[in-house]
Amino acid sequence: MQRTMNLITEQEVQDRLATDRLVENIEQMSPVYLEGIQRILTVSADTELISAPAYYRAALDAPSTNAFVSAMGIIQDELGHAHIAYRLLEDLGVDKEKLIYERQPEEFKYPYAFDVPLDTWVELVVANALYDRAGFVLLGDIYQSTTFGPWKRGLVKVDREENFHLRHGETWMRKIVQDPEGKQLLQRAVDWMFPLTVEWFGLPDDLKRHTEQLDYGFKGSSNDELRQTWMGTAVPLCEELKLHVPAHFDQEQDKYVLDYPFPCTFDAEQKRWLFEEGEIGWDTVLKRWKGRGPSNVEYVGQLQRGYREWSQMLERSQ
Ligand SMILES: [Fe+2]
Ligand SMILES: [Fe+2]
């Protein structure tokens, strides 16, 4: 995946970070730092990229031309965000074209939530309010704490645009909820999308693996802390709209708690959580994530189609 580079030692990276200097290029990275930053950048790039076909599918259900254009603006932003992250990966020795166009669908590293198709305008705006909020929380944390300078600077623009996306979702939800039928549709969307976003933040802290993300300052907060930050605005939004969410703020514990077994089984075809079957192990969740969901092949296929056709045409002409 990468060229051979002259990397520095762990101690040299630590010395640099100890004096509050950012890491600016690959020559200032150790093997562990490089691997860690490549991993987190790939997840970010893939997530931004896959949101384009996912949102496009639902944008086709837009209630007006104006609404469709606003969704296309968001999709354009997401492609710009993906470009920033893939471009940085290229500087870190990764073959960008191979990464985007030659990986198998199941090799992409975005959260499972995007594999569940968004079929309607209502689902798209709830995705803006919940998924883009998750992106905003995660990227805001990276912006604050990352030690990789070029990414930190690139995230200024991304942060602002993600904020716009989640406001777009909120504005539409406030409008749709006024209609009783619209409110029902919103509730149905929140019912499956809220727990998917809770799960998005990953394994609970006591089970988490990649500790260099925190040690090296790629991230500032832990999975559980970020999940709390997200619920800190997602739950009040839903409460304001009188939409039920299976989570509430617990005064005694001074934090949000979930009112359903976590983690639990998700029926992706029916878009339904099987709360009644109780808590399951994270190994089962990881298996579902790894196996990817219903729209994975379709979305990656859409992203790679033009490149495939173009390569085949070039081959034939030789
Ligand atoms: Fe984005
Ligand atoms: Fe976004």
Side-chain angles (χ1 to χ4, degrees):
M1 183 154 148
Q2 72 203 51
R3 302 193 296 269
T4 319
M5 293 278 172
N6 288 329
L7 301 173
I8 59 173
T9 65
E10 299 308 317
Q11 191 54 51
E12 286 170 304
V13 181
Q14 295 294 356
D15 290 349
R16 181 180 193 88
L17 297 180
T19 55
D20 282 337
R21 283 177 299 163
L22 296 175
V23 171
E24 291 295 337
N25 52 51
I26 191 166
E27 283 81 24
Q28 296 168 354
M29 295 180 184
S30 64
V32 174
Y33 189 101
L34 177 62
E35 201 205 321
I37 194 78
Q38 280 179 346
R39 183 187 301 120
I40 190 168
L41 267 170
T42 305
V43 173
S44 178
D46 288 354
T47 307
E48 302 284 9
L49 185 65
I50 212 71
S51 67
Y55 287 176
Y56 181 70
R57 177 193 172 96
L60 297 173
D61 183 51
S64 66
T65 309
N66 254 347
F68 180 73
V69 170
S70 68
M72 292 308 285
I74 290 174
I75 291 168
Q76 191 177 349
D77 289 346
E78 304 299 12
L79 291 173
H81 302 168
H83 175 73
I84 291 173
Y86 286 122
R87 181 67 187 77
L88 291 172
L89 278 163
E90 193 173 37
D91 287 344
L92 300 181
V94 175
D95 184 331
K96 189 176 68 182
E97 295 232 323
K98 257 195 177 151
L99 193 66
I100 300 173
Y101 298 113
E102 293 179 21
R103 260 184 306 167
Q104 295 300 312
E106 69 274 13
E107 292 177 290
F108 278 72
K109 302 266 185 266
Y110 58 83
Y112 176 85
F114 275 118
D115 275 341
V116 186
L118 301 168
D119 291 311
T120 62
W121 183 254
V122 168
E123 289 183 344
L124 174 63
V125 301
V126 174
N128 286 151
L130 301 184
Y131 297 178
D132 287 279
R133 183 183 309 272
F136 181 72
V137 167
L138 286 159
L139 293 172
D141 177 69
I142 293 171
Y143 171 68
Q144 290 294 330
S145 56
T146 186
T147 51
F148 183 38
W151 200 12
K152 196 183 185 76
R153 294 186 288 274
L155 283 174
V156 176
K157 160 192 157 77
V158 178
D159 211 54
R160 268 188 222 131
E161 289 173 350
E162 290 306 344
N163 191 39
F164 166 73
H165 301 171
L166 75 90
R167 300 285 166 230
H168 178 263
E170 288 182 359
T171 307
W172 272 98
M173 283 176 78
R174 288 198 176 97
K175 191 165 148 180
I176 294 169
V177 81
Q178 290 167 21
D179 170 59
E181 204 184 313
K183 187 178 176 193
Q184 276 185 11
L185 294 172
L186 282 174
Q187 183 63 61
R188 171 75 189 101
V190 166
D191 283 346
W192 68 268
M193 293 166 82
F194 183 91
L196 263 188
T197 327
V198 168
E199 199 188 74
W200 181 314
F201 293 93
L203 268 63
D205 295 347
D206 48 353
L207 297 175
K208 180 99 171 75
R209 290 160 304 169
H210 305 303
T211 54
E212 86 274 8
Q213 287 193 5
L214 279 174
D215 297 345
Y216 265 137
F218 300 151
K219 283 170 74 180
S221 309
S222 69
N223 288 358
D224 286 337
E225 287 165 346
L226 292 165
R227 210 179 333 258
Q228 284 292 324
T229 306
W230 178 80
M231 282 196 278
T233 54
V235 174
L237 169 72
C238 293
E239 286 173 346
E240 173 207 319
L241 301 177
K242 306 271 185 301
L243 296 168
H244 174 261
V245 279
H248 70 277
F249 189 77
D250 185 291
Q251 299 288 354
E252 243 168 58
Q253 296 182 60
D254 194 29
K255 65 174 190 179
Y256 282 91
V257 290
L258 299 173
D259 304 325
Y260 64 96
F262 177 69
C264 65
T265 307
F266 180 61
D267 179 341
E269 299 301 330
Q270 300 294 320
K271 295 182 176 173
R272 201 173 84 79
W273 290 89
L274 308 183
F275 291 168
E276 64 278 13
E277 291 189 4
E279 193 176 317
I280 57 170
W282 277 95
D283 50 337
T284 314
V285 179
L286 289 172
K287 225 161 122 192
R288 163 160 56 81
W289 287 355
K290 233 180 158 327
R292 306 269 28 158
S295 292
N296 168 247
V297 172
E298 178 193 325
Y299 291 161
V300 173
Q302 281 175 14
L303 292 165
Q304 295 178 337
R305 191 178 56 213
Y307 180 85
R308 288 245 170 80
E309 288 169 1
W310 182 244
S311 317
Q312 283 163 5
M313 210 167 79
L314 283 178
E315 266 170 37
R316 276 199 299 270
S317 67
Q318 274 168 8

